[in-house]
Amino acid sequence: MTCIVGILDRNDDCVYVGADSLGSSWHDQFLLKNRKVFKAKDNKNCIMAITGMVKIQNWLSIEEDLIEEVKHLKNEVDFDSIVKYTVPKIFELAKKYNDITTVDFMTCLSGSLLLAYKNQLYWIESNGQVMESQDDYFADGSGIDFAFGVLSQTREKPTVERISAALEAAEMHGRGIKRPFYILNTKNEDVIEIK
């Protein structure tokens, strides 16, 4: 159980993504050292945040070449390339790490993720479908309803403040969400920690 939040910041021309730090089940909880929001190993413009099993963070954080930058069209990464290259690569890696389940006869990951690349934000559901929001923000996890409520009402506030407020609301009213919160962006190496 968790809460992850991503916002496309059009003023900074990048995406900010935040997550809580709690590992939990229905009967216990503990703070995780490995973060639910992290940069791709070989591409500092790519951020991922995970829900579900922590195992998905384990292998996504160490693998390379998750984003296919087509050589003759350097950096031409868009919705089509995420669907065509990135999602199949993620599922291929999930099979390699034995992190695939079957739900209603569909092959699924052990969790879902937000994937941010430069100024693009995608939600990749556990079944592999890719979505973009017209609202320039997404949230996922057990605190999703509270996070969406805050995000929809704070459009005029600074991005980091919005993510922090969304995570705080999820922590206060949701299950299995706890500080510290970590917020990263696709523009630089800043790590914001909210204790």
Side-chain angles (χ1 to χ4, degrees):
M1 288 174 253
T2 193
C3 190
I4 57 176
V5 177
I7 298 177
L8 168 58
D9 187 319
R10 295 196 182 276
N11 292 328
D12 283 348
D13 195 34
C14 71
V15 177
Y16 287 80
V17 182
D20 76 299
S21 296
L22 191 66
S24 63
S25 70
W26 293 105
H27 50 80
D28 57 19
Q29 65 180 19
F30 45 89
L31 289 175
L32 297 174
K33 186 174 181 180
N34 40 340
R35 295 184 190 151
K36 298 176 190 177
V37 59
F38 52 94
K39 294 252 183 177
K41 183 173 182 151
D42 63 339
N43 191 323
K44 299 307 176 192
N45 296 122
C46 179
I47 298 172
M48 291 167 279
I50 59 104
T51 66
M53 302 291 286
V54 175
K55 185 175 184 181
I56 196 170
Q57 181 272 348
N58 296 163
W59 53 266
L60 279 174
S61 67
I62 63 169
E63 284 290 345
E64 298 178 346
D65 298 323
L66 291 173
I67 298 292
E68 290 276 338
E69 295 179 328
V70 182
K71 301 308 177 205
H72 66 284
L73 296 171
K74 187 72 171 160
N75 295 323
E76 288 295 323
V77 175
D78 58 11
F79 178 85
D80 292 354
S81 66
I82 296 296
V83 171
K84 187 174 183 178
Y85 301 111
T86 305
V87 170
K89 172 81 176 201
I90 289 171
F91 271 77
E92 176 185 312
L93 291 168
K95 287 177 187 171
K96 172 183 170 183
Y97 289 102
N98 195 27
D99 198 14
I100 290 286
T101 61
T102 302
V103 178
D104 296 330
F105 306 104
M106 287 188 290
T107 301
C108 294
L109 303 170
S110 65
S112 59
L113 64 139
L114 292 181
L115 186 142
Y117 178 74
K118 294 190 176 180
N119 61 0
Q120 301 167 58
L121 176 61
Y122 303 99
W123 177 43
I124 302 174
E125 199 173 10
S126 62
N127 65 10
Q129 66 185 359
V130 180
M131 288 168 271
E132 290 181 280
S133 173
Q134 289 192 22
D135 293 315
D136 293 339
Y137 59 80
F138 249 117
D140 198 9
S142 58
I144 187 174
D145 296 335
F146 309 108
F148 271 132
V150 168
L151 292 169
S152 70
Q153 299 302 307
T154 57
R155 295 176 195 272
E156 303 306 316
K157 294 190 176 188
T159 300
V160 171
E161 188 178 322
R162 291 178 71 199
I163 291 174
S164 177
L167 291 170
E168 287 172 13
E171 177 186 42
M172 181 178 287
H173 301 290
R175 178 188 289 258
I177 301 150
K178 193 171 184 178
R179 298 167 200 240
F181 305 141
Y182 292 98
I183 302 171
L184 309 178
N185 70 73
T186 58
K187 196 172 194 175
N188 58 44
E189 298 300 308
D190 291 352
V191 176
I192 299 168
E193 179 180 11
I194 300 170
K195 295 182 178 183

